Amino acid sequence: MSHPFSTLSPDVVMSAIESVGIWPVGEPFALNSYENRVLMFRDEDGGRWVVKFYRPERWSNEAIQEEHDFLTELAQAGVPVVAPWRDDQHASLHTFETFRFTLFPQCSGQAPELDDPAQLFALGEVLGQLHEVAARRPFHHRETLRLEPDVSDAERRVVASPWLNDHQVRAYQRVVGKIRERLEDVAVDADSMIRTHGDCHLGNVLGREGAFKLVDFDDCLTAPAIQDVWMLLPMEQPQQWRAQLSEMVEGYEETRPFPHQQMSLIEPLRAYRLIRHAAWLVDRWEDPAFPRAFPWLAEAGYWDQHIRQLEQQLLHLESPLWLA
């Protein structure tokens, strides 16, 4: 069975870029990206670009366009993001052969330094600005975060995979079942759901001298605002986490009130991400990039560790680290 990017050769990449009137100099350089294929290149005028080829059949054209329009809306409002390039017809989503692709100006920089209060404040400012614009209107084609249903779906996919032995399947189903029961009791106020980045970790925040930009909105979705906060800070160190969060809150509240009432969602969201991440790896195993990057998925030791991690997370659902 061929994987979705089996025909995305260097010649196809070059021809796709040239098809929209941009002329690369030299062969594009592949960046670390697994869900899509993302490459960096220079054009003949010295401009630096990133081209993203979307994984076939993952998102609809409407969902991708909604991501692009969200980014353009944010950029026009002054939020520091990298909006997609648009051609003379204002199109941002392009097609070449069987592939859909988008071009972005390259954004260079480093992740924030969490021991620097000024950078934490600046990071909070960016998130506050993001959510102020995000709350103005809804998504219509992007996904909505659903705790228990999405976890149940991920559990089915993991159990159906060939990687867990019978003992591991029973242990996995037992702990996920208990987590799912906890998630069923988690109330998420529909009025608190807004458009979010969705995958807002330090790798998706780039900047220089404390001026940061948010990149990679591929997983943007409707979710509680706290979804864009909790992944940025080291939850394993509660005292340090609280001090760092307080700096971010100050920056965030330069624009809008911080969603303190959503703090109780942090551990449910962490459980959600842990379970969904393993299912994502299982789903993508036929793509050769995944066995190369995540060879340990096929090892029994990984699943034993994952189950222990979920058992620990179950304890955190009962006694959140951020309350320690």
Side-chain angles (χ1 to χ4, degrees):
M1 176 178 166
S2 62
H3 67 90
F5 294 109
S6 59
T7 60
L8 187 64
S9 66
D11 285 344
V12 171
V13 170
M14 295 287 281
S15 296
I17 297 169
E18 291 172 356
S19 74
V20 296
I22 295 177
W23 308 99
V25 175
E27 188 171 308
F29 174 76
L31 301 176
N32 287 332
S33 177
Y34 306 108
E35 187 65 8
N36 305 298
R37 292 297 185 266
V38 182
L39 303 97
M40 181 177 63
F41 69 95
R42 288 189 179 188
D43 64 25
E44 59 184 358
D45 297 321
R48 296 174 178 265
W49 298 86
V50 168
V51 58
K52 176 163 73 172
F53 289 86
Y54 287 90
R55 178 173 291 271
E57 300 182 2
R58 183 181 181 223
W59 298 127
S60 67
N61 287 349
E62 293 81 6
I64 295 173
Q65 192 60 60
E66 196 162 48
E67 171 205 346
H68 294 179
D69 293 346
F70 183 37
L71 282 165
T72 299
E73 178 188 358
L74 290 168
Q76 290 176 344
V79 181
V81 299
V82 181
W85 173 81
R86 295 177 184 263
D87 64 17
D88 292 340
Q89 286 73 46
H90 303 289
S92 57
L93 179 60
H94 312 284
T95 303
F96 185 82
E97 295 185 356
T98 61
F99 295 103
R100 297 169 297 170
F101 69 98
T102 297
L103 291 156
F104 296 87
Q106 182 194 357
C107 176
S108 60
Q110 298 178 328
E113 296 179 9
L114 298 183
D115 58 354
D116 184 339
Q119 293 195 29
L120 288 166
F121 184 92
L123 182 56
E125 277 191 305
V126 172
L127 293 178
Q129 294 165 12
L130 165 69
H131 291 162
E132 181 67 15
V133 176
R136 292 176 183 172
R137 57 181 60 88
F139 279 141
H140 296 289
H141 301 287
R142 304 296 301 186
E143 292 184 346
T144 296
L145 189 147
R146 307 173 306 155
L147 286 172
E148 190 278 327
D150 289 348
V151 163
S152 294
D153 177 65
E155 178 189 8
R156 284 191 293 271
R157 288 181 280 144
V158 168
V159 170
S161 75
W163 305 120
L164 286 75
N165 60 39
D166 291 343
H167 171 74
Q168 289 171 329
V169 167
R170 289 192 296 271
Y172 175 82
Q173 289 182 308
R174 183 169 56 251
V175 67
V176 173
K178 291 179 180 179
I179 289 174
R180 191 171 57 248
E181 289 176 3
R182 293 282 179 180
L183 297 184
E184 287 174 350
D185 296 332
V186 175
V188 180
D189 182 4
D191 292 338
S192 72
M193 303 280 273
I194 63 172
R195 295 178 293 175
T196 63
H197 180 289
D199 191 29
C200 195
H201 55 74
L202 289 176
N204 284 333
V205 185
L206 297 176
R208 296 184 184 279
E209 299 179 355
F212 299 109
K213 285 190 175 182
L214 300 174
V215 300
D216 192 2
F217 278 66
D218 196 61
D219 290 306
C220 63
L221 80 167
T222 300
I226 203 73
Q227 171 69 7
D228 286 343
V229 177
W230 73 267
M231 279 183 275
L232 293 168
L233 298 173
M235 298 290 291
E236 295 78 12
Q237 303 171 21
Q239 299 258 344
Q240 183 181 11
W241 184 88
R242 283 195 293 272
Q244 292 171 340
L245 178 63
S246 67
E247 297 291 345
M248 283 182 58
V249 168
E250 285 192 32
Y252 191 100
E253 293 192 332
E254 289 288 302
T255 304
R256 64 188 277 112
F258 186 82
H260 291 283
Q261 71 280 9
Q262 295 178 12
M263 296 285 285
S264 61
L265 297 176
I266 290 176
E267 296 301 345
L269 288 170
R270 184 194 295 276
Y272 173 93
R273 185 174 177 85
L274 287 171
I275 295 168
R276 294 252 296 174
H277 180 73
W280 173 67
L281 294 175
V282 165
D283 289 344
R284 298 291 185 253
W285 193 250
E286 296 302 322
D287 183 335
F290 280 72
R292 289 196 299 267
F294 311 104
W296 32 258
L297 183 73
E299 300 173 0
Y302 165 74
W303 292 102
D304 288 335
Q305 180 183 16
H306 181 58
I307 291 165
R308 288 194 296 271
Q309 190 177 29
L310 293 178
E311 290 170 344
Q312 188 67 34
Q313 185 58 31
L314 178 61
L315 296 176
H316 294 162
L317 285 171
E318 299 169 353
S319 180
L321 279 173
W322 54 269
L323 287 178

